[in-house]
Amino acid sequence: MPTNEELIAELEAKEAKIKEMGGPESVKKQHALNKLTVRERIDLLLDPNTFEETGMHVKHHCHYFGLDKIDIPADGVVTGFGKVNGRTVCCYAEDFTSRGGSLGEMHAWKIARTMDLAAKMRVPIIGMLDTGGARIQEGINALDGYGQIFHRNTLYSGIIPQITLSMGPCAGGAVYSPALTDWILMVKGSSYMYVTGPDVVKAVMSEEVTHEGLGGSMVHNVKSGVAHFVYNSDTECIEACKELLGYLPQSVYDKLDATYKKPADSPDRICPELDTIVPEDPRKVYDMKTVIKAIVDDSEFLEPHKHYAPNMIVCFARLNGHVVGIIANQPSYVAGVLDINASDKAARFVRFCDAFNIPLLTLVDVPGYMPGTHQEFGGVIRHGAKLLSAYSEATVPKITICTHKAYGGSQISMCSRSIGADIYLAWPTAQLAVMGAEGAAAIIFRREIAKAPDPKTKLQEMTELYRKTFNNPYVAAASGFIDKIIRARDSRREVITALESLLNKKEERPWKKHGNIPL
Ligand code: HXC
């Protein structure tokens, strides 16, 4: 019989062996690629000495292609729970040094079990992915593993925040779990995501493309919108994940108290610079981020999708300490027009915030929907409908400020009174109208303009008439669509007053199994 001491020594030897991961050569290769190992990543993510590892001794059951002779430490994925800034999270990190972090049956089982644990604990789950995808030797069992994970991603969506850090290859099945999570963070140069890699693309499409060109971090942050954030290194990426967690509740059941942060700023601070930010010359533009910085606590905000659809801004910030989600048109990029990508981006953000009880502040300066065959063929009707649906469904406090233009259908989409704004504020520069004055005049006074001796002057005259009548906040305010016309300088104080008055808002929706959102 072994002594207790020998048993402890055996355990320690096993643990030490597993912690060597794929061995010194593989670890060296990992570092040479500017990537940290799984264990270094977890150490950076979690508060010191808080990581509780689960399933360290799990082994694969596969005996095909000689795999039964091969030991894969921790089956290529480190799982467990710990604390980030004192708040519990569950996490898993795939170990590329151990058989390319490939996902087999037990590897998947460990991830699924960690997800179940996170849902029971009611805490966020963070996945750090670095994997060649389904472990090819394990065949259908590996595919089932992915299915188990996708199923849980979906079941736990809206219950606990789910965050993916893509920190290496994410190939094949490894892309769909991230796509089902709330947030994807990527690392420049080392992470890439694609369903089929460059070799398959070449064989099937005769198209030559690199890993980076096909699924690199900028492809997904700029073009596809699959990813929400991009960083220069693993360290930056992990730090950013912690910052993001600071804005999120632990679960749908959690109060937002833990996200409260006392500001250095006064809630009554006036923002005189906002009084003149909307240019008097309609050909000039302004940066809506200046408005956001002026209004929020200490000018701090965290912006997902910074590089994607920049005509729409979405960000997390705080108002007198309370977390809010901000959705804002960006007039300095294609006039802040609503298009397919901007609608998708904003709608998904609204749905995330509503799911986790984060109040919404909407800043409106929108000239309309982007016209053209490209948009119509791409389904701007379907995608635009997502934003209407998201705001209409949202029951969190919804405050809107119209700074300038709010024309036509896009006026309705940007959290108008009609689709449920609780408090709708407008600056004196606001223009709530069916369309721009010139376009409107050209349509409704078509006959008069055509008959006039000088049609150009007549058009100008009628445009001016339309502008005076509708391009102001007073017609909308007269019909009750605006609660208050405020001085721009008072915006911070006004939204904080509205928000704090709405914090206990309760709004019910009729019971249904689920709606059919326009996907
Ligand atoms: C088994 C794998 C693997 C995999 C990598 N490895 N991917 N083992 N299954 N999917 C192993 C390699 O054999 C190698 O083992 C080690 O991991 C390191 O891989 P390398 O190729 O040497 O690394 P690198 O040169 O950096 O290339 C990384 C890579 C490449 C581009 C990701 O490994 C690759 O192309 N892998 C396959 C990607 C893929 O096609 N995945 C799709 C699987 S099917 P040794 O023994 O040499 O250390 C799938 C479908 C699911 O996921 C669909 C669900 C919807």
Side-chain angles (χ1 to χ4, degrees):
M1 284 289 281
T3 64
N4 285 351
E5 238 170 56
E6 284 166 343
L7 289 174
I8 290 169
E10 184 191 11
L11 171 65
E12 285 175 352
K14 280 182 188 291
E15 285 177 349
K17 180 84 191 120
I18 291 167
K19 285 183 182 173
E20 283 175 10
M21 301 167 282
E25 274 310 306
S26 305
V27 168
K28 209 164 132 196
K29 195 173 162 198
Q30 178 85 352
H31 285 153
L33 291 168
N34 266 339
K35 297 196 294 180
L36 298 174
T37 65
V38 267
R39 294 189 181 273
E40 289 164 342
R41 285 169 178 167
I42 287 174
D43 280 352
L44 267 181
L45 176 70
L46 301 179
D47 299 346
N49 303 319
T50 62
F51 183 46
E52 298 295 335
E53 186 165 348
T54 57
M56 189 188 213
H57 304 280
V58 165
K59 290 187 183 303
H60 69 80
H61 302 152
C62 179
H63 54 271
Y64 295 111
F65 303 106
L67 214 59
D68 48 341
K69 314 258 172 357
I70 292 170
D71 196 33
I72 305 179
D75 205 36
V77 62
V78 179
T79 55
F81 55 95
K83 289 190 193 295
V84 173
N85 294 324
R87 299 163 78 200
T88 302
V89 299
C90 285
C91 62
Y92 66 91
E94 290 178 310
D95 176 10
F96 196 81
T97 71
S98 301
R99 295 280 141 178
S102 56
L103 179 141
E105 177 195 4
M106 294 311 290
H107 176 122
W109 180 87
K110 284 181 71 174
I111 295 175
R113 148 112 184 106
T114 311
M115 295 170 85
D116 291 341
L117 203 56
K120 283 189 231 181
M121 289 178 174
R122 299 181 170 186
V123 300
I125 179 139
I126 298 139
M128 295 190 251
L129 272 59
D130 189 356
T131 171
R135 190 175 294 153
I136 296 162
Q137 298 90 327
E138 296 208 27
I140 188 75
N141 287 350
L143 292 189
D144 174 64
Y146 271 125
Q148 297 288 338
I149 295 169
F150 303 159
H151 188 57
R152 283 167 176 78
N153 283 133
T154 308
L155 295 186
Y156 300 144
S157 176
I159 294 183
I160 49 170
Q162 302 182 48
I163 302 176
T164 303
L165 277 55
S166 166
M167 308 184 97
C170 288
V175 295
Y176 280 115
S177 171
L180 290 162
T181 64
D182 298 305
W183 304 107
I184 300 179
L185 292 73
M186 292 185 79
V187 182
K188 254 188 207 160
S190 55
S191 67
Y192 46 89
M193 301 170 70
Y194 43 63
V195 177
T196 48
D199 292 346
V200 179
V201 172
K202 190 173 172 193
V204 179
M205 311 298 290
S206 307
E207 203 183 320
E208 297 253 9
V209 65
T210 60
H211 294 290
E212 189 70 21
L214 184 63
S217 57
M218 295 320 279
V219 167
H220 291 308
N221 272 274
V222 178
K223 293 185 183 171
S224 73
V226 164
H228 304 91
F229 300 95
V230 56
Y231 299 99
N232 289 315
S233 64
D234 283 14
T235 309
E236 265 187 33
C237 184
I238 292 168
E239 285 306 318
C241 173
K242 293 196 225 182
E243 188 188 353
L244 173 61
L245 281 166
Y247 285 100
L248 312 183
Q250 293 287 83
S251 74
V252 65
Y253 309 107
D254 198 27
K255 290 253 180 331
L256 286 171
D257 299 1
T259 63
Y260 176 85
K261 185 173 147 199
K262 195 170 165 41
D265 230 349
S266 159
D268 296 323
R269 176 173 53 77
I270 59 161
C271 319
E273 69 277 24
L274 296 185
D275 278 346
T276 51
I277 194 165
V278 176
E280 286 162 14
D281 179 347
R283 286 163 304 180
K284 291 200 173 135
V285 294
Y286 65 100
D287 184 353
M288 191 61 100
K289 287 189 195 170
T290 313
V291 179
I292 294 172
K293 277 188 200 152
I295 293 177
V296 303
D297 290 0
D298 306 314
S299 298
E300 279 175 9
F301 62 93
L302 177 71
E303 187 183 0
H305 266 160
K306 190 174 177 173
H307 307 285
Y308 181 70
N311 37 328
M312 178 69 82
I313 304 164
V314 297
C315 62
F316 294 109
R318 289 185 177 82
L319 286 167
N320 206 24
H322 308 287
V323 168
V324 290
I326 299 177
I327 303 94
N329 308 113
Q330 173 56 289
S332 68
Y333 190 87
V334 289
V337 74
L338 264 184
D339 60 7
I340 291 171
N341 293 350
S343 302
D344 277 4
K345 169 175 170 176
R348 187 154 166 80
F349 186 72
V350 167
R351 287 176 63 78
F352 175 82
C353 291
D354 185 54
F356 289 102
N357 301 313
I358 298 172
L360 300 172
L361 170 64
T362 304
L363 302 175
V364 186
D365 187 349
V366 64
Y369 280 93
M370 179 77 97
T373 49
H374 178 259
Q375 288 289 307
E376 295 293 352
F377 294 176
V380 68
I381 298 172
R382 178 164 54 88
H383 294 280
K386 293 178 190 176
L387 191 52
L388 289 165
S389 164
Y391 272 126
S392 297
E393 266 193 339
T395 55
V396 287
K398 292 183 281 192
I399 300 159
T400 305
I401 304 182
C402 181
T403 62
H404 191 203
K405 294 173 192 158
Y407 294 163
S410 62
Q411 182 275 138
I412 307 172
S413 300
M414 291 301 295
C415 203
S416 61
R417 162 58 45 76
S418 325
I419 60 169
D422 296 303
I423 298 288
Y424 197 106
L425 305 170
W427 290 359
T429 44
Q431 303 174 358
L432 286 86
V434 170
M435 56 169 69
E438 189 159 328
I443 295 170
I444 58 180
F445 303 115
R446 189 162 47 94
R447 282 200 193 87
E448 290 89 327
I449 293 165
K451 272 193 239 149
D454 178 359
K456 209 171 156 196
T457 312
K458 189 72 180 168
L459 173 63
Q460 275 169 1
E461 188 189 310
M462 300 324 270
T463 300
E464 201 44 39
L465 177 66
Y466 186 90
R467 189 171 284 130
K468 276 203 180 119
T469 313
F470 281 128
N471 278 11
N472 59 62
Y474 300 103
V475 176
S479 295
F481 299 124
I482 295 171
D483 290 301
K484 190 172 177 185
I485 301 169
I486 62 169
R487 280 141 198 84
R489 61 171 51 216
D490 294 330
S491 298
R492 174 171 164 79
R493 186 172 56 75
E494 292 280 358
V495 286
I496 288 174
T497 304
L499 175 69
E500 293 187 336
S501 309
L502 282 162
L503 282 178
N504 287 326
K505 175 189 169 188
K506 284 271 172 292
E507 192 172 311
E508 301 293 329
R509 292 281 182 266
W511 185 90
K512 57 180 143 183
K513 191 171 172 204
H514 61 71
N516 188 10
I517 61 169
L519 289 171

